[in-house]
């Protein structure tokens, strides 16, 4: 018996992070938290899973594609659906529907991996795990809210702890009946690389860039620009390329990149069309301004780097709420006319030292880092070491930790 206890005490803590593929930010937050947890302690192992894609590798891409088309082509419809459910927690019928149709094998995954804690960065896995907890699952559930507002789909009494972006989000959760002890303000986790400062000269050499005022343009988690945005916004930005270096990041949308390359205005020496890259953190280091959709993750990464932001075409719903927050905090502005772009570009050319100082001010204003999220999880694990967890399955483990 003593030997068994000793072996058990040497077992590393297992943290299962569940996300979903509706946009990139949710999974980016899960991976950022995974890295931070592993760096914080050698006694922790983690596994990040996009649950729907893992369970249905053929069906999930079709669903995500349909969602993307709806969001980009019918934003008003998406906004209407978002607002309709804004104050409503998911009911048990909705949870049962999700479970039966898409997530019925989640319990088996949890039994195989035997996590000590489950962390969800998307509401759908949180809904499913909450349902399993009501049915007897005894694994603690943390939910990381990856925006700067709270939508009803995130809320469930089975969640043991919410990790949220701001005190305002905490207040809104409490106002909806979540106990104060179940909400902790930690900020949204970003990868530790976004807290590093790289050599600007090395980055410029690596990417073939010049030492001149530089603007990064991002098209959202999918690297998507609608036709009218390309024709108006991108073309107008490129007209400044004699004086402003443009980094237009198109993500995985290689088709859009090739289409832009066919146009003379985007083949100028100071216009760089960048496909998928894992080194956005480096490009942000040499960028003086970010023009982007106000996604929670991208904007949090930009804040970590101290980059002032301009926002275009926020999707009705969470992007509008994020946009409101960042404007109120003085981190950026919504583009309401092309004259606003002229104003900021002239600032880059005429008042560059003041904008550099602004970056320092934004960085210094940050109150939370990825360590706050990981510390909250590790503290809970320490306090709950004697809590009873789900019994180990006798089946062979097919899903591995890494």
């Amino acid at each position: 018996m003593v030997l068994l206890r000793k072996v058990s005490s040497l077992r590393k803590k297992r943290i299962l992070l569940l996300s979903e593929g509706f946009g990139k930010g949710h999974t980016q937050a899960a991976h950022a938290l995974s890295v931070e947890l592993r760096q914080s302690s050698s006694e922790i192992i983690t596994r990040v899973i996009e649950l729907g894609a893992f369970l249905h590798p053929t069906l999930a891409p079709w669903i995500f594609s349909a969602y993307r088309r709806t969001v980009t082509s019918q934003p008003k419809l998406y906004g209407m659906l978002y607002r309709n459910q804004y104050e409503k927690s998911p009911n048990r019928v909705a949870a049962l529907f999700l479970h039966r149709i898409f997530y019925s094998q989640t319990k088996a995954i949890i039994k195989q991996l035997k996590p000590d804690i489950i962390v969800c960065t998307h509401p759908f896995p949180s809904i499913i795990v909450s349902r399993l907890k009501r049915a007897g699952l005894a694994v603690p559930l943390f939910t990381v809210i990856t925006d700067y507002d709270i939508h009803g789909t995130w809320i469930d009494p089975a969640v043991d702890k919410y990790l949220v972006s701001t005190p305002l989000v905490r207040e809104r959760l409490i106002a909806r009946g979540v106990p104060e002890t179940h909400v902790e303000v930690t900020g949204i986790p970003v990868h530790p690389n976004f807290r590093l400062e790289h050599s600007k000269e090395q980055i410029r050499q690596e990417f073939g860039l010049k030492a001149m005022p530089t603007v990064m343009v991002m098209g959202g988690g999918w690297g998507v620009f609608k036709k009218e945005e390309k024709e108006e916004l991108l073309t107008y930005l490129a007209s400044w390329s004699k004086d402003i270096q443009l980094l237009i990041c198109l993500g995985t949308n290689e088709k859009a990149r090739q289409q832009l390359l066919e146009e003379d205005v985007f083949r100028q020496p100071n216009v760089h069309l960048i496909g998928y890259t894992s080194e956005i953190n480096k490009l942000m280091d040499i960028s003086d301004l970010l023009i982007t959709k106000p996604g929670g993750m991208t904007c949090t990464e930009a804040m970590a780097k101290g980059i002032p932001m301009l926002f275009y075409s926020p999707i009705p719903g969470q992007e509008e709420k994020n946009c409101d927050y960042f404007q109120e905090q003085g981190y950026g502005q919504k583009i309401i006319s092309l004259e606003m772009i002229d104003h900021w570009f002239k600032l880059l050319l005429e008042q560059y030292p003041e904008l550099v100082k602004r970056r320092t001010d934004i960085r210094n204003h940050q109150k939370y880092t990825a360590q706050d999220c990981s510390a909250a999880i590790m503290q809970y694990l320490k306090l709950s070491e004697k809590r009873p967890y789900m019994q180990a399955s006798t089946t062979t483990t097919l899903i591995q930790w890494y």
Side-chain angles (χ1 to χ4, degrees), residues 15-35 37 47-52 67 103 117-130 141-150 153-154 159 161-164 186-190 296-297 318 373-374 377:
I15 301 176
L16 176 60
L17 299 109
L18 298 179
S19 181
E20 203 47 276
F22 296 95
K24 301 294 184 182
H26 301 285
T27 303
Q28 283 179 291
H31 281 295
L33 188 50
S34 172
V35 171
L37 285 162
R47 176 73 194 260
V48 177
I49 295 177
E50 283 190 344
L51 194 55
Y67 170 80
Y103 297 104
I117 190 169
I118 298 171
V119 181
C120 292
T121 60
H122 188 278
F124 282 6
S126 185
I127 290 169
I128 298 305
V129 176
S130 294
L141 169 62
F142 273 39
T143 294
V144 179
I145 297 177
T146 53
D147 284 300
Y148 290 81
D149 189 43
I150 178 62
T153 52
W154 289 99
V159 176
K161 182 79 76 172
Y162 289 94
L163 305 180
V164 303
T186 61
I188 298 173
V190 299
M297 197 66 203
Q318 66 266 41
C373 271
S374 62
I377 294 167

Side-chain angles (χ1 to χ4, degrees), residues 36 43 48 122 261 287 385 391:
E36 187 63 50
E43 300 305 312
V48 177
H122 188 278
L261 282 171
S287 298
E385 283 178 348
Q391 292 183 351

Side-chain angles (χ1 to χ4, degrees), residues 35-36 39 190-200 203 279-286 301-307 359 363 369 371:
V35 171
E36 187 63 50
Q39 290 184 356
V190 299
H191 195 283
N193 285 346
F194 285 88
R195 300 198 304 275
L196 301 175
E197 287 193 51
H198 303 87
S199 165
K200 291 187 176 182
I203 296 170
E279 297 186 305
I280 288 293
N281 62 301
K282 291 183 179 180
L283 294 174
M284 282 188 175
D285 271 336
I286 59 166
E301 292 168 346
M303 284 198 301
K305 289 294 187 180
I307 310 176
R359 289 190 68 144
R363 279 197 299 267
T369 67
Q371 295 106 312

Side-chain angles (χ1 to χ4, degrees), residues 57-330:
T58 303
L59 178 62
W62 180 86
I63 294 175
F64 299 150
S65 177
Y67 170 80
R68 179 177 65 187
R69 287 196 300 271
T70 300
V71 169
T72 55
S73 65
Q74 302 184 60
K76 291 183 179 179
L77 172 62
Y78 177 81
M80 181 184 69
L81 295 173
Y82 182 93
R83 288 187 291 270
N84 184 56
Q85 296 296 317
Y86 184 76
E87 297 285 346
K88 302 174 184 177
S89 298
N91 59 47
R92 297 197 176 189
V93 173
L96 178 62
F97 175 81
L98 279 173
H99 182 266
R100 290 281 177 87
I101 299 299
F102 212 59
Y103 297 104
S104 59
Q105 299 174 51
T106 303
K107 184 177 180 180
I109 291 175
I110 296 171
K111 276 191 173 183
Q112 289 181 22
L113 289 176
K114 308 179 191 68
D116 294 291
I117 190 169
I118 298 171
V119 181
C120 292
T121 60
H122 188 278
F124 282 6
S126 185
I127 290 169
I128 298 305
V129 176
S130 294
R131 181 178 182 275
L132 293 176
K133 284 174 66 67
R134 286 193 294 273
L137 178 66
V139 182
L141 169 62
F142 273 39
T143 294
V144 179
I145 297 177
T146 53
D147 284 300
Y148 290 81
D149 189 43
I150 178 62
H151 189 271
T153 52
W154 289 99
I155 301 174
D156 194 290
V159 176
D160 294 282
K161 182 79 76 172
Y162 289 94
L163 305 180
V164 303
S165 54
T166 68
L168 179 59
V169 175
R170 181 177 187 272
E171 291 172 10
R172 289 175 177 172
L173 278 170
I174 293 170
R176 297 195 193 185
V178 177
E180 292 185 22
T181 55
H182 287 202
V183 189
E184 188 166 342
V185 183
T186 61
I188 298 173
V190 299
H191 195 283
N193 285 346
F194 285 88
R195 300 198 304 275
L196 301 175
E197 287 193 51
H198 303 87
S199 165
K200 291 187 176 182
E201 184 57 37
Q202 288 182 3
I203 296 170
R204 292 185 182 113
Q205 289 180 4
E206 180 180 346
F207 289 91
L209 304 174
K210 297 178 183 177
M212 61 186 295
T214 300
V215 174
M216 175 184 283
V217 187
M218 299 187 73
W222 291 294
V224 174
F225 288 97
K226 292 186 290 186
K227 181 179 179 181
E228 58 268 26
E229 288 165 348
K230 185 202 77 172
E231 292 178 347
E232 183 175 19
L233 176 63
L234 293 184
T235 302
Y236 190 78
L237 294 176
S239 70
W240 278 84
S241 64
K242 180 181 177 181
D243 301 306
I244 301 288
Q245 183 168 236
L246 292 172
L247 313 180
I248 301 176
C249 302
L250 294 151
T252 57
N253 196 339
E254 182 60 22
K255 180 180 179 181
R257 196 175 81 89
Q258 292 300 324
Q259 288 176 342
L260 293 180
L261 282 171
E262 293 175 1
E263 301 184 30
D264 291 341
V265 69
F266 297 109
R267 292 203 299 269
Q268 304 301 316
N270 295 330
V271 178
H272 301 266
L273 303 177
I274 299 172
Y276 175 78
T277 175
S278 60
E279 297 186 305
I280 288 293
N281 62 301
K282 291 183 179 180
L283 294 174
M284 282 188 175
D285 271 336
I286 59 166
S287 298
D288 304 299
L289 178 68
L290 174 65
I291 299 176
T292 183
K293 305 277 283 183
M297 197 66 203
T298 296
C299 293
T300 304
E301 292 168 346
M303 284 198 301
K305 289 294 187 180
I307 310 176
M309 294 173 276
L310 295 181
F311 307 118
Y312 69 90
S313 303
I315 297 169
Q318 66 266 41
E319 285 193 356
E320 283 185 337
K321 297 292 185 179
N322 291 339
C323 185
D324 292 342
Y325 170 79
F326 293 117
Q327 289 194 108
E328 290 166 2
Q329 296 299 312

